[in-house]
Amino acid sequence: MCKPYKEKMKEMSVFSLICSCLYPESRKNIMGDFEDLDIKPLNKRASGQAFEVILKPPSPVSDVAHCISSPPKRDISLEDIQKKLEAAEDRRRSQEAQVLRILAEKREHERDVLLKAMEENSNFSRMAEEKLQMKMEQIEENRQAYLAAMMERLQERERHAQVVRRNKELREELLP
């Protein structure tokens, strides 16, 4: 497909194209807008209206109208270049400072986390040591209480044994 045809099809909607075929009086108005297109209605068919779109050869005047030139480039002075370089250097410094600030914040956070972990570890060790110390003290108290109870029972048996011996001696003395 040629380029002018694509451009014209973009400009003119299918709806207006169909309307121009169905309503010839409005076609005259539309054709004033699109002078390089020629639309011919064909015989009516059972499926609907048929038409043919014919492109006219492009005129030299229309080619000039379609060419869009780029805006003229302005001359850049040494002062403008220096300003742009300074602005770029400022942006680079700013970005570098921001990266350094973020890194410092990360280091600070890591240090805080490490200190907190060390503190928690220290607290855990201290608590475990205190718990172990209390347990050892309890075991020692229980052992002392057990030994004291055993000694008391032993002394009680010894007293009972003395009483039994005395009673036996008294019986032997009385029963000669």
Side-chain angles (χ1 to χ4, degrees), residues 114-132:
L114 185 62
L115 286 175
K116 185 176 179 182
M118 288 172 58
E119 183 180 338
E120 286 179 2
N121 189 22
S122 174
N123 286 343
F124 177 76
S125 296
R126 185 175 40 82
M127 293 297 287
E129 188 176 334
E130 287 176 4
K131 191 174 179 181
L132 181 63

Side-chain angles (χ1 to χ4, degrees), residues 11 22 32 35 47 51 55 80 115:
E11 291 175 10
L22 296 177
E35 295 171 355
S47 61
F51 54 90
L55 286 176
D80 290 340
L115 286 175

Side-chain angles (χ1 to χ4, degrees), residues 77-129:
S77 67
L78 181 63
E79 213 174 88
D80 290 340
I81 293 172
Q82 287 176 344
K83 284 180 185 177
K84 287 182 180 182
L85 286 173
E86 288 173 5
E89 184 67 22
D90 289 344
R91 284 192 304 273
R92 186 190 62 76
R93 284 187 196 127
S94 172
Q95 187 178 17
E96 195 174 285
Q98 184 178 7
V99 167
L100 290 175
R101 182 181 50 80
I102 290 170
L103 285 175
E105 287 175 359
K106 283 183 179 179
R107 282 191 203 122
E108 182 71 23
H109 178 68
E110 288 172 359
R111 189 178 66 80
D112 290 345
V113 167
L114 185 62
L115 286 175
K116 185 176 179 182
M118 288 172 58
E119 183 180 338
E120 286 179 2
N121 189 22
S122 174
N123 286 343
F124 177 76
S125 296
R126 185 175 40 82
M127 293 297 287
E129 188 176 334

Side-chain angles (χ1 to χ4, degrees), residues 5 9 12 15 17 37 47 50 52 54 59 68 75-76 80 83 91 103 115-116 120 141 144 147 149 151 154-155 172:
Y5 177 73
M9 289 312 290
M12 186 168 66
F15 180 71
L17 190 61
L37 286 179
S47 61
E52 183 179 359
I54 302 171
S59 65
I68 299 173
D75 292 333
I76 300 175
D80 290 340
K83 284 180 185 177
R91 284 192 304 273
L103 285 175
L115 286 175
K116 185 176 179 182
E120 286 179 2
E141 286 176 10
Q144 291 297 329
L147 287 175
M151 289 298 284
L154 201 61
Q155 288 173 359
E172 286 179 5

Side-chain angles (χ1 to χ4, degrees), residues 9-48:
M9 289 312 290
K10 288 179 188 174
E11 291 175 10
M12 186 168 66
S13 69
V14 174
F15 180 71
S16 64
L17 190 61
I18 293 171
C19 287
S20 68
C21 291
L22 296 177
Y23 303 104
E25 58 276 352
S26 65
R27 180 175 175 240
K28 292 173 187 171
N29 295 338
I30 293 174
M31 290 315 290
D33 294 336
F34 305 103
E35 295 171 355
D36 54 349
L37 286 179
D38 189 20
I39 301 171
K40 292 183 181 180
L42 299 176
N43 292 337
K44 234 180 187 178
R45 302 208 172 128
S47 61

